[in-house]
Amino acid sequence: MSKHHPLLQSFGALLVLDADSRHIQATSTNLEALVGLSASSQKITLNQLLGKRMAQRARRELQGQQRLAAPLVFNHGSDKQARLQLRAYRSGEHVIMEIEPLVIVGQRRLLGAINEQFIKLTEAANQDELLTYLVNEVRQLTGFERVTVCHFDPDWHGHIVAEAKDTQLPALVGQRMAASDVPPTLRRAYARHPVRFIEDANASFEQLVPNDFPINLDASVLRAPAPERQCYMESLGVRSMLCVAMQRDTGLWGLLSCFSTTPHPVPASVRDAVHILVQMVTERLALLRARQEARYLKRVQDSLMPATSPHQEPQSPQQLLFNHADTWMTMFRAHGIALWIAGAVYQVGKTPTPEAISQFVIRLGNAHTHSGPWCTRRIAKEPLTSSLAMPEQSGVLAVPLPMNPAQRAWLCFFRPEQVEALYWSMQPTSQVTPSICNSPPAAWYEEIIGSSDAWQRVERLAAVKLGEDLTLAISSYEIGMLNMHLENERKALAAANQRLEQLAHFDPLTQVWNRYRIEQAIDTELVAAKRYGAGFALLLFDVDHFKTINDTHGHSLGDDVLVALARLVESSLRGCDYFGRWGGEEFVVLATHSDLQAALGLAERLRTLLTTLHVEGLKQLVTVSIGIAVWQSGDSCKTLIARADQAMYRAKREGRDRVEIADGEIA
């Protein structure tokens, strides 16, 4: 569309204002006929056109916005009975205002109708029901002779999938349109401006005054059809057309098109209702598609669930394939499956020879380095597969299984040739398009050979998920086999680890904690004490005259004394207290949640208890000297042990077989 001499349809008038919406800079030539004011006879203002209050409201609502949130309605004319509708939006440095007569569509309330339509939409169970409902409802709303929905395939060829029409018109459902009918420029235009309305392609069009005003009106619903669009409509035998894009997140899904062989006015409110209805149907289609894909993905995932259950005996790759191949071939519409692992080929159904599969996998490994699937529906024409011996195959979907970092395994689905008959509304190379309204189109028949059914996006995604589950199941089997061969080694390793644990944390003679482990426990209590104020006490005690026992009775008896002492003390402590050998004949009791009074009571109880210790071969009484240190703010393991050690040696100096507390602590 030229920016310097734009043409406009006459069912509405257009004004171009400055960025502040204060000064009218250009108007369409039909403004006088629509609102009764002439741009040529006087310098009109927006206040004159809309009235002061409506002009102020339009400026206020458009301030800082790209467009008005909703149309404004105002009265005009000498009797103020003419009702008009105003839409406004920004185009570059200008504001565009479009004015149309406000037409009351009978007694039907469009908002109520849209709400009723929404309820009916939620009841549609599949795509065919939705689209049939859409074309019938749009035809009833607009009165067009024919309403169609055209869906675009990945190559942008159109396929008419739904239609509502006059009974005397020929049916077009099932026919296809070449991608050239909706070129990339037109697809991009629909992405920006989803509604396009042409009331009469043969009508005389309006101009802007002044006619050399530079402005881009691509977003205007009033813009006249381009010459190539007029030629296209003439070749179709139609004069009026309404098109609404069915846009999804992934791009242009399809196009709703309404046709009439005669000029056909459609009020703005009806066009808006059609746009809303198309948007609702498009969202509902996406929801139904998502649900359908989710169900399909779950079926594929569940197909291997028993094999990946921890309660199920692991199966070999060959068993997995043979047990599930029939289900997978049905789900993926395949007639053969092959699993390639480390040079071994497992096959079910109609597949190429193992040699051909191995050559295929080697080529895939070199050419397809990412983790996604690889597929083709034309094996004979695909460079990677055209020279391979695969006579019964036309399509293949290959999924890498990341089992070995050095070499991937592959799961391959094979499809046979699917001869496809296509009926086109015209031969793509033809320059003349037959009429779709006056007489049956001379359809062009094409037969596609050498191809399989296309691999759908959800099928590729499901194959990747299945490959991940299959990798897990095969890995589980391989681990199980490896565990069988390594059972003895694992048991030996477990025993060795247990011995290391024992050596690392327990005193080998007495089997109580060693110094390293008791120090860890003290450090843990220090952290808790600093954070939560949980006090604790440390009891350090030494066997009195132990050297005499060793010298008189031998070290063997001395060891017996230490072992018996450890057993007696360990059996008399609380579950929250810790006990360990500090070294030689010295032992430590870590009394958690204890103050000095509780620690004194525990120490006296232990001192008295140990006087009852009986060791065979030892006639003398076993006594201990105990030193107590209670945690104080700022204590470390070293300072705590040092204070307990000083108290213990004081007990020895004071005569042994007694309890002493660290300096500075009052009982």
Side-chain angles (χ1 to χ4, degrees):
M1 177 72 69
S2 169
K3 293 185 178 182
H4 298 288
H5 301 286
L7 298 177
L8 302 165
Q9 300 184 77
S10 59
F11 62 81
L14 185 141
L15 297 87
V16 181
L17 293 86
D18 61 1
D20 295 329
S21 305
R22 294 191 176 277
H23 303 291
I24 299 176
Q25 299 179 329
T27 65
S28 59
T29 49
N30 64 337
L31 181 66
E32 180 179 8
L34 185 65
V35 302
L37 292 174
S38 172
S40 57
S41 61
Q42 57 177 312
K43 188 69 174 178
I44 65 170
T45 66
L46 193 62
N47 288 353
Q48 291 175 301
L49 184 64
L50 304 182
K52 185 175 181 180
R53 292 181 60 185
M54 185 61 67
Q56 289 176 343
R57 180 182 174 185
R59 293 190 193 100
R60 183 175 64 253
E61 292 191 13
L62 196 59
Q63 188 174 10
Q65 303 297 321
Q66 187 62 29
R67 60 176 59 245
L68 287 179
L72 298 177
V73 177
F74 64 99
N75 297 332
H76 209 275
S78 57
D79 55 359
K80 295 293 183 180
Q81 295 301 310
R83 291 176 63 79
L84 301 173
Q85 177 175 286
L86 169 72
R87 296 174 185 265
Y89 62 91
R90 297 186 183 276
S91 177
E93 298 298 321
H94 301 90
V95 171
I96 308 298
M97 290 188 176
E98 299 171 344
I99 301 174
E100 293 184 56
L102 184 64
V103 179
I104 304 299
V105 186
Q107 299 299 316
R108 185 169 186 176
R109 294 179 299 175
L110 288 178
L111 288 178
I114 291 174
N115 185 59
E116 181 181 350
Q117 292 157 1
F118 177 76
I119 295 174
K120 291 181 179 179
L121 287 178
T122 59
E123 299 173 352
N126 55 58
Q127 175 175 301
D128 290 342
E129 286 186 21
L130 266 177
L131 296 180
T132 299
Y133 174 79
L134 174 64
V135 293
N136 286 322
E137 192 65 24
V138 169
R139 185 162 183 262
Q140 184 177 351
L141 279 172
T142 62
F144 275 102
E145 298 169 21
R146 185 193 297 274
V147 179
T148 65
V149 170
C150 181
H151 169 56
F152 298 111
D153 65 19
D155 297 323
W156 290 109
H157 296 308
H159 182 205
I160 298 178
V161 293
E163 178 184 47
K165 63 181 182 63
D166 286 346
T167 55
Q168 69 272 21
L169 296 179
L172 299 181
V173 171
Q175 288 199 7
R176 296 177 181 266
M177 297 186 301
S180 57
D181 284 357
V182 187
T185 53
L186 188 57
R187 296 198 296 268
R188 289 193 292 269
Y190 275 124
R192 295 190 299 269
H193 316 298
V195 180
R196 184 72 174 103
F197 174 57
I198 300 171
E199 184 176 270
D200 184 2
N202 298 344
S204 299
F205 299 122
E206 310 294 337
Q207 295 184 347
L208 281 180
V209 179
N211 62 7
D212 59 348
F213 193 84
I215 187 68
N216 187 337
L217 297 180
D218 286 347
S220 174
V221 72
L222 298 176
R223 71 187 188 281
E228 56 270 21
R229 180 55 53 175
Q230 287 180 287
C231 292
Y232 180 75
M233 293 179 65
E234 183 179 356
S235 66
L236 294 178
V238 299
R239 291 183 63 175
S240 182
M241 182 169 67
L242 171 65
C243 295
V244 182
M246 303 180 74
Q247 195 80 21
R248 286 189 183 174
D249 294 339
T250 54
L252 185 64
W253 181 89
L255 195 65
L256 177 125
S257 301
C258 309
F259 301 101
S260 178
T261 56
T262 59
H264 192 78
V266 180
S269 57
V270 174
R271 298 198 305 267
D272 291 342
V274 171
H275 186 203
I276 293 172
L277 184 58
V278 169
Q279 286 180 308
M280 291 193 304
V281 169
T282 306
E283 291 296 324
R284 181 67 179 171
L285 280 174
L287 178 61
L288 289 177
R289 180 66 178 271
R291 288 177 178 174
Q292 182 182 11
E293 291 185 351
R295 287 193 296 267
Y296 175 75
L297 288 171
K298 189 175 187 310
R299 284 174 51 219
V300 173
Q301 187 173 15
D302 290 348
S303 68
L304 196 58
M305 188 171 294
T308 56
S309 171
H311 306 293
Q312 181 74 20
E313 187 72 21
Q315 301 176 14
S316 68
Q318 187 175 15
Q319 290 173 318
L320 286 169
L321 181 60
F322 289 169
N323 291 343
H324 298 87
D326 290 341
T327 301
W328 294 342
M329 283 192 288
T330 300
M331 288 179 173
F332 288 93
R333 299 179 292 145
H335 71 167
I337 303 179
L339 180 61
W340 186 95
I341 302 178
V345 181
Y346 309 103
Q347 302 165 267
V348 176
K350 295 182 179 181
T351 60
T353 64
E355 293 76 17
I357 292 175
S358 295
Q359 292 177 20
F360 173 54
V361 166
I362 292 172
R363 294 183 183 183
L364 273 179
N366 295 329
H368 187 74
T369 56
H370 64 78
S371 60
W374 184 93
C375 66
T376 181
R377 59 184 301 199
R378 300 180 180 91
I379 284 179
K381 296 182 179 180
E382 179 68 38
L384 192 144
T385 54
S386 59
S387 61
L388 295 176
M390 297 184 176
E392 294 186 89
Q393 318 303 329
S394 287
V396 59
L397 169 62
V399 179
L401 309 183
M403 299 184 59
N404 188 331
Q407 189 176 41
R408 296 177 291 180
W410 291 87
L411 176 65
C412 303
F413 299 89
F414 295 94
R415 279 181 178 169
E417 179 186 36
Q418 183 67 46
V419 178
E420 188 176 9
L422 304 181
Y423 293 86
W424 299 82
S425 60
M426 56 171 282
Q427 189 167 351
T429 56
S430 173
Q431 298 300 315
V432 179
T433 304
S435 167
I436 68 169
C437 283
N438 294 330
S439 60
W444 175 62
Y445 171 81
E446 179 184 18
E447 190 173 81
I448 305 296
I449 61 174
S451 297
S452 72
D453 285 338
W455 299 98
Q456 302 298 325
R457 184 191 71 88
V458 68
E459 292 175 323
R460 300 194 299 270
L461 179 60
V464 172
K465 297 293 185 184
L466 179 61
E468 294 172 353
D469 292 343
L470 189 58
T471 300
L472 178 63
I474 295 174
S475 298
S476 176
Y477 170 79
E478 292 182 343
I479 291 172
M481 293 299 100
L482 181 62
N483 286 341
M484 284 179 56
H485 295 297
L486 298 178
E487 186 66 25
N488 292 334
E489 286 81 354
R490 186 168 67 248
K491 288 181 179 179
L493 180 61
N497 285 334
Q498 188 174 6
R499 288 195 299 271
L500 287 174
E501 176 78 12
Q502 192 74 13
L503 291 173
H505 293 146
F506 291 86
D507 175 56
L509 175 63
T510 61
Q511 296 302 305
V512 299
W513 279 0
N514 59 17
R515 179 169 181 163
Y516 169 73
R517 185 64 185 89
I518 201 70
E519 281 184 337
Q520 283 185 322
I522 294 171
D523 288 337
T524 301
E525 288 301 313
L526 284 169
V527 171
K530 291 175 183 177
R531 181 172 297 178
Y532 307 112
F536 66 96
L538 198 68
L539 282 63
L540 182 64
F541 64 88
D542 179 278
V543 180
D544 297 331
H545 304 297
F546 187 72
K547 185 176 182 302
T548 303
I549 296 174
N550 274 339
D551 292 345
T552 304
H553 301 283
H555 288 278
S556 177
L557 185 62
D559 289 346
D560 292 343
V561 170
L562 295 179
V563 171
L565 179 147
R567 295 291 171 269
L568 185 59
V569 172
E570 194 172 36
S571 64
S572 66
L573 294 176
R574 300 176 301 172
C576 60
D577 295 334
Y578 304 107
F579 177 50
R581 185 181 180 188
W582 192 248
E585 65 272 23
E586 290 183 348
F587 293 86
V588 171
V589 174
L590 178 59
T592 63
H593 307 291
S594 295
D595 56 14
L596 181 56
Q597 204 65 33
L600 273 170
L602 174 61
E604 284 294 343
R605 184 165 58 83
L606 289 178
R607 185 189 66 78
T608 303
L609 178 65
L610 288 175
T611 59
T612 67
L613 183 65
H614 173 73
V615 180
E616 188 175 352
L618 183 67
K619 297 180 179 179
Q620 70 186 69
L621 194 67
V622 176
T623 63
V624 294
S625 299
I626 304 176
I628 301 174
V630 178
W631 173 78
Q632 297 176 354
S633 179
D635 260 336
S636 65
C637 180
K638 184 177 180 180
T639 60
L640 198 60
I641 288 291
R643 291 195 291 113
D645 187 61
Q646 291 172 358
M648 182 187 72
Y649 277 100
R650 190 184 320 120
K652 284 186 175 295
R653 289 195 302 269
E654 295 295 329
R656 295 183 174 86
D657 189 20
R658 62 185 291 119
V659 176
E660 291 288 340
I661 60 175
D663 291 341
E665 298 181 8
I666 302 174

